[in-house]
Amino acid sequence: MQTVRKDIHNSEIPVLCQSCEARHQGICGALSGEELTALAKSTRRVHKDAGEELMADAMPIASYASVLRGVIKLSKVLEDGRQQVVGLQFAPDLLGRPFATESRVTAEAASDVDLCVIPKPALEELLSRSAPLEHRVMMQALRELDEARDWMVTLGRKTAAEKVASFLYLIATHMDPTDDAPETSFDLPLSRADISDFLGLTVETVSRQISRLKADGVIGIVNFRQISVPDLARLRLRCG
Amino acid sequence: MQTVRKDIHNSEIPVLCQSCEARHQGICGALSGEELTALAKSTRRVHKDAGEELMADAMPIASYASVLRGVIKLSKVLEDGRQQVVGLQFAPDLLGRPFATESRVTAEAASDVDLCVIPKPALEELLSRSAPLEHRVMMQALRELDEARDWMVTLGRKTAAEKVASFLYLIATHMDPTDDAPETSFDLPLSRADISDFLGLTVETVSRQISRLKADGVIGIVNFRQISVPDLARLRLRCG
DNA sequence: CGTAGCGTTGAGGTATGTCAACACGGGTGG
DNA sequence: CCACCCGTGTTGACATACCTCAACGCTACG
């Protein structure tokens, strides 16, 4: 399932980076060859299975990570256990709150993910020296802020039906289409429980709204987790 | 009503800045004397009355502004008119989405506000040359992101009672106490309608919950807009 | 004194939550 | 191979928190 490359650890130059699909994306795209070579000495490529916790709320941050593949779920919980997903991260996002000693969220692998883990001091040292890198990190923060605010509208003002449509639309526009399926079809990276925590609804309501969208022909359901969208514009109309 | 100072435009040195309470806060705190002098040539001090629109969603951004006094309301509207407040800005925040050609929100003066208006090119030029400045802007963006995510929990998972308590707690911890009133008392910068748009509720529900908090002795109501909080910890308990 | 804007209160409706039963699918062990 | 179980998802019946609609109070202002 997972392709292991022998050549990675036998070389001085960051071969890993050369063959890395994120080389010119995310934070690595802001680095010069030299900087990349220096940074690569302290990075590790890591795989996590769906469900594994990557970072706990209010816990010290040991490292950052560049998301190479998969989806990360960021969430918060109230004392009594009520949970809210506050963000999703896709490749090539940087995982970890910059310049904080503690995480403000819990990060969990929503799907199987590949990460390029960067020790906290290594990235922060580089951040202080590379303005382009800091700029890119800021641009990501600003984009996440825009997304968070968009989602606040969904949480605060949309109906359950619109929330579910908005979620599916979000995923449809962020996920690669699955190979084996026709045109616009994708795997949901989140369980119904996760979706409900993202939307501020119950699993039952999410399930009912998905069934309804299916009944209305807006979406097709292949495999519970696999959704097809014949007409994205039609789905968009349901978003309110 | 509006204080106009004659000395502002008659001087080479930024007298305005020397006497400005935001001199060492917000973005100005990251600037050297020279930089400040250069920037001050293109800034204007502006007063806006409560209710005035400062920036429209999807409209080009002509300028940034440093908030000197008062509260700014950031909001978004759906096509059908449903509205959601997605953030509040207090002094010494920077108003305006950095590095965007268009605003992603509508900004409105929630109370009377004083602004230090900075033309877009002036600030962006300075941003590209001053790493400390860019750093400070990033820190604000990251803080706003944290706040937005905190608020997503409130919107998605809290009850109406908890939402209202959370709002009052937020304001109580962000506003200066009013002079004429006892210890912990403050003016609400938002109307009931604004509060309901912030909380994703109706005005009626907000009103009922405020009445309830008053009946329970958690808050006192002086003047509709003026609230007293005898015990902040007790209010905190109502936040869920 | 009348009107307009904002806030409060009440009565009743509805969307969503709650509780419970059931369906499906995948693993494990006989 | 089947029996069983467990996690996940769906569906139904009922409860309720919040919304909707409507009336009314208060204050400011002409």
Side-chain angles (χ1 to χ4, degrees), chain A residues 128-148:
Chain A
S128 67
R129 285 193 293 112
S130 169
L133 177 60
E134 180 156 303
H135 184 74
R136 194 165 292 219
V137 170
M138 173 159 75
M139 293 305 270
Q140 178 183 321
L142 288 167
R143 183 175 46 73
E144 289 186 64
L145 180 57
D146 288 340
E147 289 168 2

Side-chain angles (χ1 to χ4, degrees), chain A residues 30-32 34-39 42 99 121-135, chain B residues 131 134-135 138:
Chain A
L31 297 176
S32 69
E34 292 170 44
E35 289 167 333
L36 198 63
T37 306
L39 184 63
S42 46
F99 305 110
L123 182 65
E124 290 182 355
E125 197 269 344
L126 202 53
L127 269 174
S128 67
R129 285 193 293 112
S130 169
L133 177 60
E134 180 156 303
H135 184 74
Chain B
E134 179 157 305
H135 184 74
M138 174 159 74

Side-chain angles (χ1 to χ4, degrees), chain B residues 9 16 39-46 63 115-119:
Chain B
H9 298 292
L16 178 58
L39 183 63
K41 289 199 205 311
S42 43
T43 60
R44 277 175 309 123
R45 199 159 171 158
V46 168
S63 52
L115 302 174
C116 182
V117 175
I118 310 164

Side-chain angles (χ1 to χ4, degrees), chain B residues 159-160 200-202 204-205 208:
Chain B
T159 64
L201 299 171
T202 59
E204 294 92 332
T205 300
R208 276 186 257 268

Side-chain angles (χ1 to χ4, degrees), chain A residues 76 86 97 104-105 144-145 148-149 152 155, chain B residues 72 74 85-94 139-155 158 170 173-174 198:
Chain A
K76 285 169 170 277
V86 296
R97 166 70 156 81
R104 302 267 333 240
V105 300
E144 289 186 64
L145 180 57
R149 286 175 171 167
M152 286 173 72
L155 286 174
Chain B
I72 311 281
L74 305 179
V85 174
V86 297
L88 297 179
Q89 295 196 298
F90 303 84
D93 290 342
L94 179 70
M139 293 305 270
Q140 178 182 321
L142 287 168
R143 184 175 47 73
E144 289 186 72
L145 180 57
D146 288 340
E147 287 167 2
R149 286 176 171 167
D150 284 341
W151 208 251
M152 287 173 72
V153 179
T154 300
L155 287 174
K158 291 189 185 175
L170 173 73
T173 52
H174 277 76
F198 195 19

Side-chain angles (χ1 to χ4, degrees), chain A residues 24-72:
Chain A
H24 298 288
Q25 297 182 293
I27 60 163
C28 296
L31 297 176
S32 69
E34 292 170 44
E35 289 167 333
L36 198 63
T37 306
L39 184 63
K41 289 200 206 309
S42 46
T43 59
R44 279 174 309 124
R45 198 156 172 160
V46 169
H47 175 87
K48 294 283 184 180
D49 290 326
E52 285 192 72
E53 186 172 287
L54 309 176
M55 218 170 259
D57 192 5
M59 291 298 287
I61 302 175
S63 52
Y64 298 100
S66 179
V67 180
L68 303 179
R69 191 180 61 84
V71 181
I72 311 280

Side-chain angles (χ1 to χ4, degrees), chain B residues 8-134:
Chain B
I8 289 176
H9 298 292
N10 300 341
S11 169
E12 284 294 294
I13 55 164
V15 179
L16 178 58
C17 295
Q18 280 177 27
S19 65
C20 176
E21 56 275 25
R23 165 66 186 91
H24 296 288
Q25 296 182 294
I27 60 164
C28 295
L31 296 175
S32 69
E34 292 171 41
E35 289 167 334
L36 197 63
T37 306
L39 183 63
K41 289 199 205 311
S42 43
T43 60
R44 277 175 309 123
R45 199 159 171 158
V46 168
H47 176 88
K48 294 284 183 179
D49 290 326
E52 285 193 73
E53 185 171 289
L54 309 177
M55 218 171 259
D57 192 7
M59 291 299 287
I61 302 175
S63 52
Y64 298 99
S66 179
V67 180
L68 302 180
R69 192 180 61 84
V71 181
I72 311 281
K73 186 185 87 185
L74 305 179
S75 62
K76 285 169 170 277
V77 292
L78 261 25
E79 286 93 351
D80 61 4
R82 281 175 287 177
Q83 187 165 143
Q84 177 67 46
V85 174
V86 297
L88 297 179
Q89 295 196 298
F90 303 84
D93 290 342
L94 179 70
L95 173 64
R97 166 69 157 84
F99 306 109
T101 52
E102 287 192 354
S103 179
R104 301 266 336 241
V105 299
T106 301
E108 189 179 319
S111 64
D112 285 13
V113 295
D114 292 328
L115 302 174
C116 182
V117 175
I118 310 164
K120 187 165 143 70
L123 182 65
E124 291 182 354
E125 199 269 341
L126 203 51
L127 269 174
S128 68
R129 285 193 294 111
S130 169
L133 178 60
E134 179 157 305

